[in-house]
Amino acid sequence: MLNELLVGECYEVKTKDFKRPFVGKVKDIREDYVIVEVKHCELIDQEKFNPKSLVKAQPFDVKRLVGENCFFS
């Protein structure tokens, strides 16, 4: 899975620290994990995580690519 991820692209991510999936931009890809910058998360998670927070995610935490035309309300 790590070889399919691209730095700078946004993905839907769900880690154990978040109650809901969030959208994050891949900042760095390491040997066995990725560093993701939170772009958008649900209100329930905003107490712990702000936009621009960096999160360490496992490859299985990354669910799908999110296109540039994704709309958040």
Side-chain angles (χ1 to χ4, degrees), residues 1 4-5 10-16 20-24 26 34 36 57-66:
M1 176 67 179
E4 298 173 10
L5 300 178
C10 290
Y11 294 87
E12 181 180 281
V13 181
K14 173 63 174 82
T15 68
K16 61 181 168 78
R20 304 274 193 278
F22 67 92
V23 174
V26 173
V34 294
V36 181
Q58 300 301 317
F60 56 83
D61 292 334
V62 181
K63 304 306 181 193
R64 66 180 179 93
L65 180 66
V66 177

Side-chain angles (χ1 to χ4, degrees), residues 4 9 24-25 34-35 43 66:
E4 298 173 10
E9 292 291 332
K25 180 186 272 189
V34 294
I35 302 296
L43 288 174
V66 177

Side-chain angles (χ1 to χ4, degrees), residues 11-71:
Y11 294 87
E12 181 180 281
V13 181
K14 173 63 174 82
T15 68
K16 61 181 168 78
D17 298 326
F18 283 77
K19 295 184 190 300
R20 304 274 193 278
F22 67 92
V23 174
K25 180 186 272 189
V26 173
K27 299 302 261 179
D28 193 16
I29 300 173
R30 301 293 173 95
E31 190 172 312
D32 57 346
Y33 64 92
V34 294
I35 302 296
V36 181
E37 177 184 11
V38 177
K39 291 304 216 177
H40 173 77
C41 63
E42 299 290 331
L43 288 174
I44 196 166
D45 292 313
Q46 285 183 355
E47 290 180 10
K48 289 175 55 177
F49 299 97
N50 296 315
K52 306 265 187 205
S53 293
L54 295 179
V55 175
K56 179 180 175 181
Q58 300 301 317
F60 56 83
D61 292 334
V62 181
K63 304 306 181 193
R64 66 180 179 93
L65 180 66
V66 177
E68 290 183 24
N69 297 329
C70 191
F71 173 75

